[in-house]
Amino acid sequence: MKELRQIHAQMIALGLIRYTYITSRILAFCAISKNGDLEYARRIFDRIQMPTIFNWNAMIKGYSRSAQPQFGLSIFARMRAELVLPNMHTFPFAIKACDGLSSVAQIHGQVVKFGFDLDVYVVSSLINMYSKHDVGVARQVFDKSPNKNVVSWTSLISGYCVQGQVVEARKVFDEMPERNDVSWSAMISGYVQNECHTEAIELFRELKERALLRPNRSVLVSILNACAGLGASEEGRWVHSYIDENGFEYGLELGTALVDFYVKCGCVESSRQVFDKMPIKDVMAWSAMIVGLAINGHSDSALALFAEMERSKTKPNAITFVGVLSACNHGGLVYKGWDYFKVMSNVYGISPSIEHYGCMVDLLGRAGRVADAEQLINGMPMRPDGVIWGALLNGCLIHGHVELGERVGRRLIELEPHHSGRYVLLANMYASMGRWEGVVSVRKMMRERRVTAVPGCSFIEITGVVHRFLVDDKSHSKSADVFKMLNDLHNEVISSNYETMMVQAILS
């Protein structure tokens, strides 16, 4: 912009600014470029006596991409008031500037009025925007459109995924006459957004088997997130190899996804190698690595990396401090935790969220300072949730604070009466103290309220396939073999213990 202003001044001094083409190019740079200045563009625009449709579109597009898209609609309204006719490029920008269903409908009316309801790009923009508010209306627009291209189909898929209707999205995906890398990416990322990680990986394998399209960066990021969610280390490592073999750079998004994948699979060294290779690191990359070190128990390394982040002049955000406080929690570093909790607001101006309070309550509770933890809860600016009270109850269970634990447990059950874990935690505390009548009372309460315990589950990956097992689960195709092996191991342990006891008896 500094250089642009100098050029603009020269144009004014030389009298060239009166030429429409020159003014339009300067306006377009200011309004549309990432390095532009929308306010400067607005001042130029307001001085143009007869703006061309190119000028109007540039301003609408600039505002549609900004934090104040509604100004794009005001520019459109002003354009129509001055009787300037829109063209095919006007409506996609105007639609993108809409902030609600009513404004989309109004622009839709203008689309029909000027005969652009057959333009495939305008219709795709309408489908995309309607999907964010009412996917049913988006489907109606899609069905009525005689001209559908891959963009229209993909917009509908994304709309269903945003609304959590992944089954409908997959039906649309399967019906597509042709697909490109964006449509594959939309479906795979839609699965991941809705935590259908297994389905995402299966679809990615189908994409690989077809070998017709090269997975783009967006697909790779999505599938790494799916692998992280399932702990599918083999599939994730294949993606990493593919990235290296095909010359993808460790950009911010792809590099951060790799870091997150490895730390969630417990591969801290691999994640650190990727992190160190990233040429540019933003706050999300630093935060992913710090959080990853913390959740894997590398407290000292996490705090050392945070100090390195500060030296790099990268300003931490709220997620960064969740990682820092978690590191203090795992390391039992109470005083450091307090210090970082104060630094967060006093130095960086970040107001503690309920997640930060949860970290502190858990830290204090595990350290046996349950009174301090309760005092912190009572001073919170927001209402404590079940996670906060659960952290305090866990501290009471660890250190045997029965009276406070019972009070907190009862409050927790009142707060979340259908959360089975809350009952189990209180029952475990009674059991650890030998108060079996309390255990019976909690179990009775669960039966009366028809609260069923959520079964525990585990995952194991074998030759790239992730298998999920629930408690007492016999639905797996190999369950008979699994239980036979367990019985054999059980008998072996019993036999081994019997022989050990006999030997000890003989020796004594």
Side-chain angles (χ1 to χ4, degrees), residues 76-351:
F76 177 80
R78 179 177 155 188
M79 184 185 86
R80 292 298 306 119
E82 295 186 18
L83 304 179
V84 178
L85 296 177
N87 64 11
M88 61 183 294
H89 300 293
T90 307
F91 286 110
F93 305 147
I95 293 166
K96 190 176 180 181
C98 295
D99 58 354
L101 197 59
S102 60
S103 57
V104 182
Q106 289 174 11
I107 297 297
H108 191 178
Q110 293 285 305
V111 167
V112 175
K113 177 180 178 179
F114 288 100
F116 288 100
D117 51 326
L118 298 180
D119 186 283
V120 68
Y121 296 103
V122 174
V123 171
S124 295
S125 299
L126 281 170
I127 293 169
N128 184 53
M129 187 54 70
Y130 272 128
S131 296
K132 296 178 181 179
H133 306 286
D134 189 333
V135 74
V137 177
R139 184 61 194 249
Q140 291 175 17
V141 174
F142 177 84
D143 290 338
K144 289 180 180 179
S145 174
N147 300 321
K148 302 181 182 73
N149 66 356
V150 69
V151 178
S152 307
W153 288 88
T154 304
S155 296
L156 189 59
I157 291 170
S158 298
Y160 276 123
C161 290
V162 167
Q163 300 300 327
Q165 301 180 36
V166 290
V167 174
E168 291 299 321
R170 184 58 190 265
K171 287 180 182 177
V172 175
F173 180 81
D174 291 338
E175 293 170 3
M176 289 183 72
E178 61 172 326
R179 304 178 187 128
N180 61 9
D181 59 340
V182 179
S183 50
W184 282 91
S185 177
M187 192 64 246
I188 291 173
S189 63
Y191 273 137
V192 175
Q193 290 162 12
N194 289 279
E195 298 186 0
C196 301
H197 301 308
T198 302
E199 291 84 351
I201 292 175
E202 288 174 354
L203 187 59
F204 178 67
R205 286 175 179 159
E206 184 180 335
L207 173 61
K208 286 194 300 182
E209 289 170 3
R210 294 195 175 196
L212 297 174
L213 289 171
R214 183 184 182 213
N216 60 23
R217 299 178 77 89
S218 178
V219 169
L220 296 173
V221 168
S222 294
I223 207 64
L224 283 170
N225 291 336
C227 293
L230 280 181
S233 59
E234 288 186 32
E235 190 73 34
R237 288 184 184 277
W238 184 94
V239 174
H240 190 182
S241 299
Y242 181 87
I243 290 169
D244 289 341
E245 290 170 4
N246 288 273
F248 285 94
E249 291 185 2
Y250 291 172
L252 290 174
E253 194 175 14
L254 196 54
T256 303
L258 273 170
V259 169
D260 186 61
F261 155 70
Y262 275 123
V263 295
K264 286 181 178 175
C265 290
C267 307
V268 178
E269 290 184 8
S270 297
S271 66
R272 188 58 191 263
Q273 289 171 6
V274 172
F275 179 79
D276 291 339
K277 287 180 181 178
M278 291 177 66
I280 301 174
K281 303 177 184 70
D282 64 355
V283 63
M284 296 305 297
W286 285 98
S287 299
M289 193 67 244
I290 291 169
V291 170
L293 289 168
I295 63 176
N296 283 281
H298 299 269
S299 301
D300 293 338
S301 297
L303 298 181
L305 189 62
F306 176 69
E308 186 181 335
M309 177 183 180
E310 289 184 304
R311 289 192 296 271
S312 74
K313 305 299 181 183
T314 304
K315 185 179 179 180
N317 62 12
I319 297 174
T320 315
F321 277 100
V322 168
V324 170
L325 295 177
S326 296
C328 294
N329 194 347
H330 284 284
L333 308 172
V334 177
Y335 294 107
K336 278 193 174 182
W338 271 121
D339 289 340
Y340 285 121
F341 190 72
K342 294 173 183 175
V343 163
M344 180 172 61
S345 54
N346 295 341
V347 177
Y348 293 104
I350 301 171
S351 299

Side-chain angles (χ1 to χ4, degrees), residues 371-425:
D372 292 337
E374 186 180 24
Q375 185 178 356
L376 180 63
I377 293 173
N378 293 332
M380 285 172 55
M382 71 284 290
R383 185 180 180 183
D385 61 4
V387 176
I388 297 288
W389 290 116
L392 180 57
L393 178 57
N394 189 53
C396 294
L397 174 61
I398 293 171
H399 296 282
H401 294 271
V402 182
E403 185 178 344
L404 176 60
E406 185 173 14
R407 178 158 49 86
V408 171
R410 296 288 177 181
R411 180 181 295 186
L412 191 55
I413 289 173
E414 290 175 7
L415 185 66
E416 298 180 341
H418 300 291
H419 192 304
S420 62
R422 308 312 184 196
Y423 295 86
V424 172
L425 197 58

